[in-house]
Amino acid sequence: MIPVCRLEDLPEGESVRVETTPPVAVFRTDDGELYAIDDTCTHQDASLSEGWLEGCLVECPLHAASFDLRTGQPTCLPARRPVRTHRVTVDDGIIHVHLVAQEGSAA
């Protein structure tokens, strides 16, 4: 479990990049829902935390690939591979990300 920031410090409709290996992006939608995905677009090396958030979708700032924050699945080209999703919890007002182990690595 990795602490990210205070819930009050992440406004609705915004995101924050967490410097893990690999980096993770945490999003707070306009509805106040929290999601975490790997921060790097699977099409090309671009930070999804710098993309555009609309509902539960984030658009990559480089080539407009879009990903569903709930599933990690790409919703349009040029991305074809999903990004990993991670569980998010809030404890005592602090957002935490629970990282999912990468394939082929120990958790």
Side-chain angles (χ1 to χ4, degrees), residues 35-52:
Y35 298 97
I37 60 174
D38 281 354
D39 187 46
T40 306
C41 178
T42 58
H43 167 252
Q44 197 164 357
D45 190 23
S47 173
L48 294 174
S49 64
E50 296 176 8
W52 296 274

Side-chain angles (χ1 to χ4, degrees), residues 13-14 16 20 27 35 38 44 51 57 59 65 70 80-81 87 89 95 99 101 103:
E14 297 292 325
V16 63
T20 55
F27 296 87
Y35 298 97
D38 281 354
Q44 197 164 357
L57 300 178
E59 182 180 306
R70 298 165 293 191
R80 296 172 191 248
R81 292 180 293 123
R87 189 167 62 95
T89 58
I95 300 170
L99 295 180
E103 264 185 49

Side-chain angles (χ1 to χ4, degrees), residues 18-93:
V18 182
E19 295 298 332
T20 55
T21 303
V24 169
V26 177
F27 296 87
R28 187 173 184 192
T29 67
D30 289 332
D31 294 333
E33 296 294 321
L34 294 166
Y35 298 97
I37 60 174
D38 281 354
D39 187 46
T40 306
C41 178
T42 58
H43 167 252
Q44 197 164 357
D45 190 23
S47 173
L48 294 174
S49 64
E50 296 176 8
W52 296 274
L53 183 61
E54 185 171 331
C56 287
L57 300 178
V58 62
E59 182 180 306
C60 175
L62 194 56
H63 290 115
S66 182
F67 296 89
D68 188 318
L69 297 175
R70 298 165 293 191
T71 64
Q73 293 296 319
T75 60
C76 66
L77 295 174
R80 296 172 191 248
R81 292 180 293 123
V83 291
R84 286 183 310 159
T85 60
H86 307 278
R87 189 167 62 95
V88 180
T89 58
V90 178
D91 186 34
D92 290 331

